[in-house]
Amino acid sequence: MDKNIGEQLNKAYEAYRQACMDKDHAVKELHQKTENYMQQIREQQEKIELQNSIIAKLKSQLAALNANR
């Protein structure tokens, strides 16, 4: 009977250990994906700022052209 309990405890411990490793892996993967998405967001924000700057310059050039007419 004691051997059976010991085997059950070992199996339970191994399942718990595997679950902890799986959780750690999932947390690391989530962290990496979050970092990647944050980097992509930063890059997109920089592109938006650049485009807004170009739009502002073009608007000012258009306003100058319209004023000269």
Side-chain angles (χ1 to χ4, degrees), residues 2-17:
D2 290 334
K3 182 179 177 184
N4 191 21
I5 292 173
E7 288 176 10
Q8 288 178 342
L9 285 174
N10 283 339
K11 286 180 182 179
Y13 173 75
E14 184 57 33
Y16 172 77
R17 185 174 138 330

Side-chain angles (χ1 to χ4, degrees), residues 25-42:
H25 177 73
V27 167
K28 287 177 185 177
E29 186 177 348
L30 178 61
H31 179 71
Q32 183 62 45
K33 285 183 178 182
T34 301
E35 287 296 318
N36 290 343
Y37 292 142
M38 294 301 292
Q39 180 63 31
Q40 290 176 358
I41 289 170
R42 284 190 293 274

